C-alpha cells in the first residue's frame, strides 16, 4: 500500500476556469480519505489528476514519495472506479476483471485465482460469464469494484461510485465497501457529494469548495469543529443554524445580543471572543444543540412553526429574525405547531463565525 | 528529479511537433490539388497553358508594344521566362484589344491601345502595365456558356426537390426506425445497402422510359425522383440517428401534459432535431448537386449545372481555366455546407450501424 | 371503453407501418421497377424476345471480362483496405481534439464536397505532362529544367496505382466521418479505464477502442466496398474507355460509347447483372466474415 502527497496542485482549463486551486494534501498508508463537496467544486478533476488522466497545471503529485506528476496512468499503479462504472461492454465480467492483469503480464493461473478472489469479495461469482449488458446497475458497479480490487493497486480511486444506485442499495453497498477496505487496507480516495456517505466511510474528510480545500479532518472534526460557515452548513442534516448576533461587554461578561435574546457566554466561549475586534458575528448552533427547557432556564421563547415527527426524534422549526431555525428534540413530549416553546443553547457546542470571512473564530 | 521533468517536457514537445508535422502534411495533401484548381480559375488563358504553371495569378500584366511586320507587335512579360514574349503582330486594334481581354485577362479598350501607340512617337518600344482582371474566367464562363444561369437555377430546383422528397419520406421512416419496433425494421436498415448494389448507371436507362411515361423526362422533378432513391436510404439512417439522439421521454412528457403524439413531435422533437435535419438536408444537397452521370442521361435540352461544367471541360470550346472557374462556382455551396455539416457528424452517423 | 382502448392500441401498432410505407412504395416504383426490367432484359434475346442466356455467354466470353474482373478486384482490395486505415488514422487524429481540430476536420471533409467530375478534371489537368503536378515538382526542385514525368503513360500497374490513390483522395472523407461518429460515441471513460488499468495508447486502441468500434467499422467498410466495386468515372476520366477495363466501365462503355453495336444491350445487361451479383456476394461475405450477423453483445 502507499502514501499519496499532493503539493500545491492547481488545474486550469484554458485561461479562465480554475478547477483545482493550490491543493495540498497528504494521505497516509491505508487511509480511507473522502473528497467531499458540492457538484462542480473540482473533486473529479482532483481524482483524475491523481490517476494521471488529467495533466497537472502546477504542483506535484507523489505516490510513495515518488514524483508521478508526469507519468502516464499506466505507470502509476492506481486503480479507479468510475462514476458510470466504465465496464467494458465487449468483454465478459471475467475478462473485465482479468484484462488489467493480462496487461500487467500476470501469469494465467494467478489471474484466474485473483479474478475469483475479487469476484468472491464483491459477490459476483455467478456473473463471471455474463456480458455487462446483461447486468443491473448495481451488478455493474460490483464488477467495476472487483476490477479495481483485482489489480492490487497502490491507490484505490473511486469517483461517486454509489451515486447511480438506488437509496437502499447505496447504503448497503457503502457498508460493503467499508468492509472490503478493512480487509484489504488499500489506501483509498473516495469522491462523493453526499455528506452522510462521507461521514460513514471516511477516516478523514477533505471538504472542497470552488477548487480549494475548505477543511481537512475526521468526521468528528468537520461535524463538531467545522472550520467555516460553508462546512457547518454542508455537513449534517438538518444543517447548522446560523444566527446574526452582536457582542456586548457588560459587567465584565461577554453577552450575545439579538432582538430575541441576550445571554452571557460561559468562560470558555468568552475566552474565544475576548480579543475579537468586531462587534458583530454569526452564531452557529447545530439543531440538536438547541434544547427545550423550562421557562425560567430559557434564554428565549417562541412559537413552534411546524414539527416533523421522525420516530426516534422530532424536528421543530421556529422562525427567528426572518430565518427558519431547526431544532432536533427528543420524540417526547410532542410539540405541536403554534405551541410556545422555551429554548436554550448548549454552550459547550456552539460556534462563532466571522461575518466577513465565514471562518470559525477560535 | 527536475532534470527528468525537463526531459519529459522536451519529449512531449517533440511529440507535439511531430504530431503537428503530420497534420500539416495531411493538410497539404488534401488542399494542394484544390489550391491548384482555385489558382487555375484565376489565371489568364495564356498562363493556364504555360509550363510550369504559375502558383499564383498575376495581379498585373506588363506589356511591351513596338512596330511589327504587320502593324504593331505586342509582347507580354512572362513570369517564368523572365522576359517579354511576342504574342501578337497586327494592325487591327480591335483584334488586339479582344486578344488582351480574352487571352491575357486584362480589361483593355481600343482607346487604351491608341494612347500607347501615340507614345511610340517618343519612345520605341513602349512599356505599360495593366491590372489583371482576376474574375475574368468567371464572367467569361457565364457569358460563353449560354446555359449556365438557367442550368444553375434548374440545379437548385432539383436539389430542393430532392431534399423535400428524401427528407419527408426518409425522415418519416427514420423517425419510425428510431422510436418503434416493427416487422421490416431490419429490411429498412439494409435497404441502404440494397439500393447501392445495383449499378446506378444501369438504372438510369430504364428510368428514361419510366420518367417519360410519367411526363417527367428532362424536367427537374424527374432527376430529383432518381436522386432521391439513393438519398432516401441514407436519409433514413441519418434522421433515425438524429431522432435517437433526442430522448423519447421529452415527447412522453409532452404527451402526459395533454399533447397528441403528433403535437409532441411537432412541438418538441422537431425543433430539437432541426439543426441535425438541416445538416442532413445539406448532405442530400451535396449528392444531388454534384451528380453528373445520371444527369447526362436523363436530360436532353435542360441540363443541370454539373452537366454544363462537365461539357465546358470536355467540349470543343473547353478551356481548363474556364472549366476550373465553373468547377469552383459549383463547389461554393457544397464547401459552405460542409463547413456546417462537420459539427453534426456525430448526430448524423452516430446512431445507426449495421 | 375496451373498444376504444383496442383502437388506440391498434393505432400505436400501425403508426410505424404508416411511416415506413412511403419509403417502400417509393423503392417499388423508382428502384425495384427499373431493376426488374434490367434483370428481365438480361434473360431475353432482344430480337426474338425469347428466354436466352446469350447476355451472360457474351460477357463471359468477352476478352475484356477477365481483365475487367481482375482490375476491379485489385482496385477494390487495395482501395478499401488502404482507405479504411487512412480514414481511421484521420478520425483518430481528429478525435484527439487538438488545437485546430475543427478546421482540420473541415479540410479533411473537403474532397467529399467537390463534384466528382470536377475532381476527375482536376487530376486530369494535374497529370498531363504540362500539368500542375509536374509544375509543383518543378517548383520544389524535384524535377530539373526540361524533365517531365509522363504520369498517364505506362503500365497497367502504374495506372491502377494512380486510380487507387486518386479515388482514395476523394472517398476517404466519407469513410472517415462514419468512423469519427463511431469514435465520438464511445464513452471516454471506457478508454480511460484502459489507461488506468495499465494500457498504453496502442493496447487501448486494439483491445478497447477498435472492438467497440466494430459495428461502425462494418458499416463504413461495407458501404465503401459496395461503392468501390462500382468504380468507373475516375477510370474513364483519367485513361478513357477500354484502356483499363473495369466492370462498371464496361456497362457505361456499351451504354454510352458504342450503344449502336448489335451486342451492346446484351453486354450492358449482362455486365450489370454480374456486377450486382458480385457486389451482393462481396457485401454478404464481408458481413459474415466480420461477424456482423452473429453479434453477441446484443447492444
Ligand atoms: N474538460 C474540462 N474542460 C473545461 N472545464 C472543465 C473540464 N472538466 C471540468 N471542468 C470544470 O472544472 C470544474 C470542476 O469540475 P469537476 O472536477 O468535474 O467537479 P466535481 O467532480 O466536483 O463535480 C467545473 O467548473 C467544471 O465545469
Ligand atoms: Mg464529479
Amino acid at each position: 500500500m502507499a502514501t499519496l502527497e499532493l503539493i500545491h496542485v492547481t488545474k486550469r482549463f484554458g485561461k479562465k476556469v480554475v478547477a483545482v486551486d493550490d491543493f495540498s494534501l497528504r494521505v497516509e498508508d491505508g487511509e480511507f480519505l473522502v473528497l467531499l463537496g458540492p457538484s462542480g467544486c473540482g473533486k473529479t478533476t482532483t481524482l483524475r489528476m491523481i490517476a494521471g488522466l488529467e495533466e497537472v497545471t502546477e504542483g506535484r503529485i507523489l505516490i510513495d514519495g515518488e514524483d508521478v506528476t508526469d507519468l502516464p496512468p499506466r505507470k502509476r499503479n492506481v486503480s479507479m472506479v468510475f462514476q458510470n462504472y466504465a465496464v467494458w461492454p465487449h468483454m465478459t465480467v471475467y475478462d473485465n476483471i482479468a484484462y488489467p492483469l493480462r496487461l500487467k503480464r500476470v501469469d494465467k493461473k494467478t489471474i484466474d485465482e485473483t479474478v475469483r478472489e475479487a469476484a468472491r469479495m464483491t459477490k459476483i461469482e455467478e456473473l463471471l460469464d455474463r456480458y455487462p449488458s446483461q447486468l443491473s446497475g448495481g451488478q455493474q458497479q460490483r464488477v467495476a469494484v472487483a476490477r479495481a480490487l483485482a489489480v492490487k493497486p497502490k491507490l484505490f480511486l473511486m469517483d461517486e461510485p454509489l451515486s447511480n444506485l438506488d437509496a437502499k442499495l447505496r447504503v448497503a453497498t457503502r457498508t460493503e465497501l467499508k468492509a472490503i477496505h478493512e480487509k484489504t487496507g488499500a489506501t483509498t480516495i473516495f469522491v462523493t457529494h453526499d455528506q452522510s456517505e462521507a461521514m460513514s466511510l471516511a477516516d478523514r474528510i477533505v471538504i472542497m469548495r470552488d477548487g480549494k480545500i475548505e477543511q481537512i479532518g475526521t468526521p468528528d472534526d468537520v461535524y463538531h469543529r467545522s472550520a467555516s460557515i460553508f462546512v457547518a452548513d454542508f455537513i449534517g442534516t438538518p444543517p447548522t443554524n446560523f444566527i446574526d448576533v452582536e457582542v456586548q461587554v457588560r459587567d465584565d461578561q461577554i453577552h450575545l445580543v439579538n432582538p430575541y435574546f441576550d445571554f452571557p457566554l460561559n468562560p470558555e466561549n468568552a475566552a474565544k471572543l475576548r480579543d475579537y475586534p468586531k462587534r458583530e458575528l454569526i452564531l452557529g448552533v447545530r439543531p440538536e444543540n438547541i434544547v427545550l427547557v423550562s421557562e425560567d432556564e430559557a434564554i428565549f421563547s417562541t412559537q413552534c412553526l411546524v414539527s416533523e415527527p421522525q420516530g426516534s426524534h422530532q424536528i421543530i422549526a421556529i422562525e427567528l429574525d426572518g430565518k427558519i431555525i431547526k431544532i432536533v428534540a427528543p420524540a417526547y413530549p410532542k410539540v405541536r405547531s403554534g405551541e410556545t416553546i422555551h429554548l436554550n443553547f448548549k454552550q459547550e457546542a456552539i460556534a462563532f463565525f466571522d461575518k466577513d470571512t465565514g471562518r470559525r473564530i477560535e | 528529479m527536475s532534470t527528468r521533468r525537463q526531459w519529459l517536457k522536451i519529449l512531449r514537445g517533440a511529440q507535439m511537433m511531430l504530431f503537428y508535422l503530420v497534420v500539416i502534411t495531411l493538410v497539404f495533401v488534401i488542399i494542394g490539388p484544390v489550391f491548384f484548381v482555385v489558382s487555375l480559375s484565376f489565371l489568364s488563358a495564356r498562363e493556364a497553358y504555360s509550363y510550369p504553371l504559375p502558383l499564383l495569378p498575376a495581379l498585373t500584366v506588363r506589356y511591351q508594344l513596338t512596330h511589327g511586320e504587320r502593324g504593331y507587335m505586342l509582347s507580354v512579360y512572362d513570369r517564368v521566362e523572365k522576359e517579354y514574349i511576342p504574342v501578337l503582330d497586327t494592325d487591327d486594334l480591335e483584334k488586339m484589344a479582344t486578344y488582351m481581354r480574352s487571352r491575357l485577362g486584362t480589361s483593355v479598350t481600343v482607346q487604351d491601345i491608341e494612347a500607347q501607340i501615340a507614345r511610340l512617337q517618343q519612345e520605341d518600344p513602349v512599356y505599360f502595365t495593366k491590372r489583371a482582371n482576376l474574375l475574368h474566367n468567371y464572367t467569361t464562363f457565364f457569358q460563353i456558356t449560354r446555359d449556365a444561369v438557367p442550368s444553375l437555377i434548374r440545379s437548385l430546383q432539383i436539389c430542393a426537390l430532392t431534399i423535400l422528397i428524401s427528407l419527408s419520406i426518409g425522415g418519416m421512416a427514420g423517425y419510425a426506425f428510431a422510436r418503434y419496433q416493427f416487422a421490416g425494421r431490419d429490411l429498412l436498415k439494409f435497404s441502404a445497402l440494397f439500393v447501392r448494389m445495383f449499378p446506378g448507371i444501369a438504372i438510369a436507362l430504364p428510368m428514361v422510359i419510366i420518367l417519360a411515361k410519367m411526363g417527367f423526362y428532362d424536367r427537374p422533378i424527374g432527376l430529383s425522383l432518381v436522386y432521391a432513391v439513393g438519398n432516401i436510404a441514407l436519409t433514413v439512417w441519418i434522421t433515425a440517428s438524429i431522432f435517437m439522439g433526442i430522448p423519447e421521454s421529452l415527447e412522453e412528457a409532452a404527451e402526459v401534459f395533454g399533447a397528441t403524439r403528433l403535437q409532441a413531435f411537432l412541438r418538441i422533437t422537431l425543433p430539437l432535431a432541426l439543426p441535425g435535419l438541416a445538416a442532413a438536408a445539406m448532405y442530400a444537397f451535396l449528392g444531388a448537386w454534384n451528380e453528373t452521370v445520371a444527369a447526362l442521361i436523363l436530360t436532353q435540352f435542360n441540363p443541370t449545372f454539373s452537366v454544363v461544367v462537365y461539357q465546358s471541360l470536355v467540349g470543343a470550346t473547353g478551356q481548363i481555366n474556364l472549366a476550373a472557374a465553373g468547377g469552383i462556382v459549383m463547389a461554393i455551396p457544397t464547401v459552405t455546407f460542409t463547413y456546417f455539416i462537420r459539427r453534426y457528424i456525430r448526430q448524423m452517423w452516430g446512431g445507426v450501424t449495421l | 371503453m375496451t373498444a376504444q382502448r383496442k383502437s388506440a392500441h391498434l393505432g400505436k401498432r400501425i403508426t410505424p407501418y404508416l411511416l415506413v410505407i412511403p419509403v417502400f412504395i417509393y423503392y417499388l416504383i423508382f428502384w425495384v421497377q427499373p431493376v426488374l426490367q434490367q434483370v428481365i432484359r438480361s434473360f431475353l434475346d432482344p430480337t426474338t424476345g425469347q428466354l436466352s442466356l446469350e447476355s451472360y455467354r457474351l460477357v463471359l466470353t468477352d476478352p475484356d471480362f477477365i481483365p475487367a474482373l481482375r482490375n476491379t478486384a485489385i482496385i477494390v482490395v487495395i482501395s478499401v483496405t488502404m482507405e479504411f486505415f487512412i480514414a481511421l488514422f484521420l478520425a483518430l487524429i481528429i478525435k484527439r481534439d487538438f488545437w485546430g481540430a475543427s478546421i482540420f476536420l473541415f479540410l479533411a471533409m473537403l474532397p467529399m464536397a467537390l463534384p466528382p467530375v470536377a475532381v476527375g478534371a482536376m487530376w486530369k489537368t494535374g497529370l498531363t505532362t504540362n500539368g500542375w503536378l509536374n509544375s509543383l515538382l518543378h517548383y520544389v526542385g524535384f524535377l530539373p529544367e526540361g524533365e517531365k514525368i509522363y504520369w498517364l503513360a505506362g503500365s497497367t500497374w502504374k495506372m491502377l496505382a494512380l486510380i487507387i490513390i486518386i479515388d482514395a483522395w476523394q472517398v476517404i472523407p466519407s469513410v472517415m466521418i462514419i468512423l469519427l461518429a463511431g469514435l465520438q460515441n464511445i464513452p471516454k471513460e471506457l478508454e480511460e479505464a484502459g489507461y488506468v488499468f495499465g494500457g498504453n495508447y496502442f493496447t487501448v486502441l486494439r483491445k478497447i477502442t477498435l472492438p467497440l468500434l466494430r459495428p461502425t467499422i462494418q458499416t463504413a467498410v461495407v458501404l465503401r466496398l459496395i461503392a468501390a466495386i462500382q468504380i468507373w468515372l475516375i477510370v474513364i476520366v483519367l485513361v478513357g474507355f477500354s484502356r483499363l477495363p473495369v466492370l462498371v466501365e464496361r456497362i457505361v462503355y456499351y451504354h454510352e460509347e458504342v450503344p449502336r453495336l448489335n451486342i451492346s444491350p446484351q453486354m450492358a445487361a449482362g455486365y450489370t447483372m454480374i456486377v450486382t451479383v458480385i457486389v451482393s456476394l462481396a457485401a454478404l461475405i464481408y458481413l459474415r466474415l466480420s461477424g456482423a450477423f452473429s453479434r453477441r453483445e446484443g447492444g
Side-chain angles (χ1 to χ4, degrees):
Chain A
M1 293 300 128
T3 61
L4 167 73
E5 268 176 279
L6 292 122
I7 304 167
H8 299 298
V9 171
T10 294
K11 173 72 193 180
R12 277 189 286 272
F13 291 107
K15 291 262 181 303
K16 293 245 169 64
V17 184
V18 184
V20 177
D21 193 1
D22 196 19
F23 191 105
S24 290
L25 174 71
R26 188 186 155 85
V27 186
E28 298 304 332
D29 192 6
E31 190 174 14
F32 198 117
L33 185 104
V34 174
L35 288 183
L36 174 66
S39 150
C41 70
K43 308 177 297 287
T44 298
T45 307
T46 309
L47 205 69
R48 289 169 56 85
M49 283 191 290
I50 298 169
L53 293 170
E54 209 79 70
E55 220 169 298
V56 175
T57 314
E58 273 163 40
R60 290 191 299 147
I61 296 175
L62 314 185
I63 295 177
D64 268 347
E66 189 204 351
D67 189 338
V68 298
T69 317
D70 298 301
L71 289 186
R74 66 175 187 280
K75 301 221 171 115
R76 298 190 182 197
N77 198 6
V78 301
S79 75
M80 185 156 173
V81 178
F82 290 78
Q83 183 165 7
N84 57 5
Y85 315 138
V87 174
W88 297 305
H90 60 298
M91 297 181 189
T92 59
V93 170
Y94 186 98
D95 286 335
N96 259 285
I97 304 172
Y99 182 60
L101 299 165
R102 290 189 194 125
L103 280 173
K104 293 188 161 60
R105 311 214 174 285
V106 178
D107 68 275
K108 246 188 150 136
K109 199 165 141 278
T110 321
I111 288 180
D112 194 63
E113 284 164 9
T114 318
V115 171
R116 290 184 194 288
E117 165 72 14
R120 202 175 46 70
M121 263 201 201
T122 48
K123 310 200 177 87
I124 50 167
E125 289 146 298
E126 331 76 66
L127 306 177
L128 285 175
D129 292 327
R130 295 218 200 151
Y131 281 95
S133 57
Q134 302 162 311
L135 303 180
S136 70
Q139 290 169 325
Q140 288 190 24
Q141 195 266 354
R142 279 159 197 276
V143 176
V145 173
R147 178 175 68 181
L149 280 175
V151 296
K152 307 221 162 60
K154 285 185 167 175
L155 279 181
F156 202 44
L157 309 176
M158 296 195 243
D159 190 359
E160 312 214 13
L162 306 179
S163 64
N164 290 345
L165 303 180
D166 63 63
K168 202 157 176 198
L169 193 56
R170 184 153 57 209
V171 175
T173 314
R174 164 165 117 189
T175 314
E176 283 173 38
L177 279 184
K178 183 92 181 165
I180 289 174
H181 176 251
E182 306 269 279
K183 220 178 299 175
T184 61
T187 311
T188 306
I189 321 279
F190 184 102
V191 162
T192 180
H193 66 263
D194 178 340
Q195 55 95 19
S196 71
E197 204 167 284
M199 298 291 277
S200 63
L201 283 169
D203 293 329
R204 277 193 306 159
I205 297 178
V206 176
I207 294 169
M208 290 183 69
R209 176 194 191 185
D210 296 340
K212 293 198 189 65
I213 295 179
E214 191 80 8
Q215 183 173 9
I216 306 180
T218 62
D220 273 356
D221 285 338
V222 296
Y223 188 86
H224 296 294
R225 292 172 287 281
S226 306
S228 67
I229 293 181
F230 177 81
V231 175
D233 188 38
F234 195 74
I235 303 280
T237 39
T240 305
N241 298 302
F242 300 102
I243 305 165
D244 288 314
V245 292
E246 198 179 307
V247 185
Q248 290 181 2
V249 182
R250 269 183 271 127
D251 331 323
D252 247 9
Q253 275 198 314
I254 296 180
H255 288 248
L256 291 188
V257 182
N258 179 286
Y260 299 86
F261 56 72
D262 179 339
F263 69 96
L265 289 177
N266 68 10
E268 290 93 66
N269 282 327
K272 293 179 192 162
L273 294 185
R274 184 125 295 143
D275 299 323
Y276 189 66
K278 299 180 199 165
R279 281 194 51 205
E280 294 188 337
L281 53 76
I282 291 170
L283 170 69
V285 199
R286 292 218 169 260
E288 66 273 23
N289 297 330
I290 305 179
V291 284
L292 295 173
V293 290
S294 60
E295 192 165 357
D296 48 330
E297 290 171 51
I299 59 170
F300 69 105
S301 301
T302 185
Q303 275 188 350
C304 166
L305 212 55
V306 281
S307 87
E308 305 165 8
Q310 301 281 313
S312 64
H313 58 275
Q314 58 183 327
I315 299 176
I316 300 164
I318 59 168
E319 199 186 310
L320 198 72
D321 230 356
K323 281 200 292 194
I324 300 290
I325 302 287
K326 291 207 168 171
I327 301 158
V328 173
Y332 295 98
K334 282 249 179 291
V335 175
R336 273 178 299 279
S337 309
E339 188 178 331
T340 299
I341 47 178
H342 312 289
L343 300 164
N344 200 342
F345 300 122
K346 281 192 193 160
Q347 283 230 11
E348 64 278 16
I350 63 177
F352 311 114
F353 298 100
D354 186 284
K355 214 168 173 172
D356 302 311
T357 64
R359 304 301 298 181
R360 182 190 185 90
I361 303 162
E362 287 293 347
Chain B
M1 197 106 272
S2 78
T3 55
R4 200 183 82 180
R5 278 203 83 169
Q6 271 164 3
W7 269 112
L8 281 167
K9 271 226 173 81
I10 292 167
L11 201 72
R12 198 168 305 164
Q15 266 179 358
M16 212 57 191
M17 262 172 51
L18 201 71
F19 178 77
Y20 274 99
L21 212 66
V22 170
V23 168
I24 288 167
T25 312
L26 286 169
V27 168
F28 271 108
V29 172
I30 296 163
I31 63 170
V34 181
F35 169 80
F36 274 99
V37 177
V38 174
S39 161
L40 195 59
S41 78
F42 292 114
L43 290 183
S44 69
R46 202 187 82 85
E47 285 196 314
Y49 285 94
S50 63
Y51 180 85
L53 205 63
L55 286 176
L56 291 170
L59 295 178
T60 56
V61 181
R62 286 154 65 187
Y63 290 108
Q64 183 200 54
L65 193 68
T66 180
H67 293 285
E69 282 171 17
R70 285 186 234 151
Y72 299 101
M73 168 69 86
L74 182 73
S75 300
V76 60
Y77 186 76
D78 188 303
R79 288 188 286 157
V80 177
E81 305 289 336
K82 298 212 177 359
E83 60 183 347
Y84 284 90
I85 310 281
V87 288
L88 190 66
D89 182 359
T90 181
D91 57 357
D92 183 349
L93 298 189
E94 191 68 52
K95 184 177 167 191
M96 186 177 282
T98 310
Y99 187 90
M100 289 166 86
R101 272 199 302 271
S102 67
R103 297 288 298 165
L104 305 170
T106 47
S107 336
V108 178
T109 59
V110 175
Q111 284 76 25
D112 290 334
I113 302 175
E114 278 167 351
Q116 299 303 333
I117 289 173
R119 282 173 59 202
L120 269 177
Q121 314 258 307
Q122 279 98 48
E123 44 183 326
D124 188 5
V126 295
Y127 294 94
F128 60 99
T129 303
K130 285 281 168 199
R131 240 161 41 94
N133 180 3
L134 285 182
L135 292 180
H136 176 260
N137 292 328
Y138 290 84
T139 44
T140 314
F141 178 82
F142 280 97
Q143 277 162 10
I144 67 165
T145 353
R146 246 181 311 113
D147 272 339
V149 175
S151 71
L152 193 70
I153 294 168
R154 221 172 284 130
S155 271
L156 288 173
Q157 282 175 339
I158 292 172
C159 290
L161 284 170
T162 308
I163 291 171
L164 200 72
I165 297 170
S166 42
L167 224 58
S168 56
I169 296 184
M172 286 198 306
Y175 182 79
F177 189 90
R179 291 285 192 261
Y180 298 93
Q181 287 296 331
F182 53 92
R185 195 166 175 269
D186 273 349
L187 184 67
L188 183 65
K189 185 163 81 173
F190 279 96
S191 71
L193 302 188
F194 294 144
V195 297
R196 284 178 159 61
M197 288 179 173
F198 202 82
I201 180 94
I203 296 181
L205 266 221
M207 280 309 285
V208 172
I209 297 157
I210 294 172
L211 291 179
K213 269 193 213 150
M214 300 172 100
F216 290 157
Y217 176 69
D218 202 16
R219 289 175 52 189
I221 177 75
L223 264 183
S224 38
L225 284 170
V226 174
Y227 291 162
V229 175
N231 249 318
I232 285 177
L234 270 191
T235 312
V236 172
W237 280 36
I238 292 175
T239 52
S241 173
I242 292 168
F243 289 128
M244 280 172 178
I246 299 168
E248 195 176 357
S249 57
L250 294 181
E251 267 171 70
E252 287 168 349
E255 284 181 73
V256 167
F257 291 115
T260 64
R261 186 100 196 179
L262 183 65
Q263 283 171 327
F265 173 78
L266 291 178
R267 295 297 303 275
I268 310 291
T269 307
L270 196 59
L272 288 170
L274 220 48
L277 293 178
M282 292 177 191
Y283 199 75
F285 179 94
L286 295 194
W289 179 260
N290 285 342
E291 208 285 335
T292 314
V293 178
L296 270 169
I297 297 174
L298 291 170
T299 59
Q300 199 171 5
F301 305 111
N302 296 308
T304 64
F305 192 60
S306 68
V307 170
V308 169
V309 173
Y310 173 72
Q311 276 160 351
S312 81
L313 198 70
V314 298
T317 60
Q319 276 186 18
I320 56 168
N321 52 325
L322 293 186
I328 299 297
V329 170
M330 208 176 152
I332 290 172
T334 54
V335 169
T336 315
F337 286 164
T338 305
Y339 189 78
F340 179 84
I341 291 173
R342 82 184 198 289
R343 288 193 216 136
Y344 293 92
I345 286 175
R346 183 177 178 182
Q347 267 195 46
M348 289 167 69
W349 288 102
V352 185
T353 50
L354 288 176
Chain C
M1 184 68 208
T2 52
Q4 205 181 346
R5 245 170 65 196
K6 237 183 204 157
S7 83
H9 257 274
L10 192 68
K12 261 219 163 94
R13 285 245 301 282
I14 61 169
T15 315
Y17 296 99
L18 292 179
L19 289 172
V20 297
I21 274 175
V23 172
F24 286 108
I25 292 178
Y26 196 92
Y27 283 163
L28 223 54
I29 301 174
F30 295 106
W31 189 72
V32 176
Q33 189 187 342
V35 165
L36 271 186
Q37 284 183 11
Q38 286 292 61
V39 173
I40 292 168
R41 181 173 304 174
S42 76
F43 287 107
L44 292 183
D45 188 310
T47 44
T48 64
Q50 298 290 304
L51 203 66
S52 147
L53 293 176
E54 185 64 9
S55 300
Y56 296 90
R57 198 193 60 79
L58 274 174
V59 170
L60 295 177
T61 55
D62 180 9
D64 276 334
F65 175 65
I66 296 296
L69 193 64
R70 191 202 57 203
N71 291 338
T72 309
I74 293 170
I75 293 175
V76 168
V77 170
I78 301 179
S79 313
V80 175
T81 320
M82 180 179 85
E83 286 158 14
F84 166 70
F85 282 109
I86 298 179
L88 181 67
F89 181 66
L90 285 174
L92 287 170
I93 286 185
I94 292 165
K95 195 193 145 211
R96 291 185 55 158
D97 215 5
F98 58 95
W99 186 88
S102 161
I103 276 299
F104 182 67
L105 170 60
F106 168 62
L107 293 176
M109 284 171 71
L110 212 54
M112 183 179 94
L114 305 176
V117 174
V119 170
M122 175 180 87
W123 288 105
K124 177 88 176 173
T125 53
L127 294 168
T128 52
T129 43
N130 284 345
W132 53 257
L133 203 53
N134 278 347
S135 304
L136 180 69
L137 292 177
H138 174 82
Y139 284 125
V140 297
F142 192 79
L143 269 187
E145 192 73 43
E147 259 183 58
K148 283 173 189 172
I149 297 178
Y150 293 85
W151 298 99
L152 293 171
S155 68
T156 305
W157 287 106
K158 191 171 145 199
M159 290 304 102
L160 281 174
L162 264 184
I163 283 165
I164 288 170
I165 292 170
I166 289 172
D167 187 48
W169 186 87
Q170 175 147 49
V171 302
I172 282 174
S174 49
V175 183
M176 185 268 294
I177 57 172
I178 299 180
L179 294 178
L180 181 64
L183 280 176
Q184 290 175 335
N185 257 358
I186 297 176
K188 77 178 196 316
E189 287 83 3
L190 292 180
E191 289 168 315
E192 286 177 349
Y195 294 124
V196 168
F197 289 109
N200 59 28
Y201 184 80
F202 291 102
T203 45
V204 170
L205 183 66
R206 222 155 37 84
K207 294 290 183 179
I208 295 171
T209 312
L210 290 183
L212 289 172
L213 196 63
R214 203 169 74 173
T216 308
I217 292 175
Q218 285 161 345
T219 309
V221 169
V222 84
L223 281 173
R224 187 60 213 124
L225 185 69
I226 290 171
I229 299 175
Q230 303 180 49
I231 188 172
W232 66 275
L233 184 62
I234 192 71
V235 179
I236 62 157
V237 171
L238 285 187
V239 302
F241 282 110
S242 300
R243 194 171 139 206
L244 192 79
V246 291
L247 291 172
V248 176
E249 176 257 4
R250 291 288 88 195
I251 306 176
V252 184
Y253 175 74
Y254 286 109
H255 264 330
E256 300 296 310
E257 193 70 3
V258 291
R260 306 260 172 268
L261 288 185
N262 267 344
I263 54 164
S264 287
Q266 281 164 298
M267 274 291 197
Y271 268 110
T272 300
M273 289 312 296
I274 284 174
V275 168
T276 308
V277 169
I278 290 176
V279 171
S280 321
L281 278 180
L284 208 67
I285 290 171
Y286 169 75
L287 290 178
R288 165 71 35 97
L289 286 184
S290 68
F293 297 128
S294 59
R295 209 169 295 134
R296 46 182 210 285
E297 295 91 328

